[in-house]
Amino acid sequence: RKEVEQDPGPFNVPEGATVAFNCTYSNSASQSFFWYRQDCRKEPKLLMSVYSSGNEDGRFTAQLNRASQYISLLIRDSKLSDSATYLCVVNMNNYGQNFVFGPGTRLSVLP
Amino acid sequence: DTGVSQNPRHKITKRGQNVTFRCDPISEHNRLYWYRQTLGQGPEFLTYFQNEAQLEKSRLLSDRFSAERPKGSFSTLEIQRTEQGDSAMYLCASSPGGVNTEAFFGQGTRLTVV
């Protein structure tokens, strides 16, 4: 089993749609969790950190379920500019030393 | 520019040649990471430094790969006797101390081995 797994994608959705991405991780001792966004041929950039209580940033909502070792990202009212690959990232040890990336889920928002 | 800087941005080399990449992290960050990314995949962890100490290496880092961070500031990644399978984007990231802090990435060095 891979350490971090994500929905395979791609997701093709119309503008204004709501889309949800799922991620699971294998190490129950993982301490911190993130969603990164990567545009084509660019470096990954932090979209948001994921906290146990769940957190929201505008149209984006992240949830963490430690018992199920599951992370989600919800995008509401999707925009053309949301088209990118979304990477689930987990710090796999207690010392925050090792950021492990999922394979990414590609999103295309269509006009 | 106070972000993570990588040089060169692109490198084309013949199989069998050695290449070296440089990463300058954000100045106050003591943690530095190297990743490799191929098309359609997420970044794969290669190695990690805390200050000048190399604390973790992936099994992906064969004997042909070596990384240094001699003064705890910039880092270099060298690939000896390059192979076509080494063609990828090599990403460097840095982060400050602490468990819940994110990593900041440089723009990467795209290596093509011909």
Side-chain angles (χ1 to χ4, degrees), chain A residues 2 31-34 36 38 41-46 49 51 87 91 93-104, chain B residues 31 33 35 37 39-43 45 48 50 55-56 89 91 95 98-108 110:
Chain A
K2 292 185 179 179
Q31 291 288 325
S32 51
F33 310 90
F34 309 91
Y36 275 71
Q38 187 171 27
R41 303 180 78 83
K42 300 284 189 181
E43 76 275 22
K45 292 186 177 178
L46 180 70
S49 302
Y51 303 118
L87 297 159
N91 249 333
N93 63 41
N94 291 338
Y95 304 100
Q97 293 176 349
N98 185 352
F99 293 90
V100 179
F101 284 75
Chain B
R31 295 179 178 178
Y33 307 82
Y35 288 84
Q37 187 174 27
L39 196 63
Q41 301 296 318
F45 171 77
Y48 154 74
Q50 181 150 330
L55 297 185
E56 193 168 346
M89 174 74 86
L91 292 161
S95 74
V99 173
N100 293 316
T101 55
E102 79 258 27
F104 296 82
F105 281 83
Q107 292 179 302
R110 183 169 298 280

Side-chain angles (χ1 to χ4, degrees), chain A residues 4-49:
Chain A
V4 180
E5 298 193 69
Q6 295 186 239
D7 290 332
F11 283 48
N12 298 314
V13 302
E15 271 187 289
T18 296
V19 60
F21 301 135
N22 301 312
C23 170
T24 57
Y25 60 95
S26 61
N27 187 339
S28 60
S30 298
Q31 291 288 325
S32 51
F33 310 90
F34 309 91
W35 284 101
Y36 275 71
R37 170 194 169 127
Q38 187 171 27
D39 293 299
C40 188
R41 303 180 78 83
K42 300 284 189 181
E43 76 275 22
K45 292 186 177 178
L46 180 70
L47 178 66
M48 58 197 306
S49 302

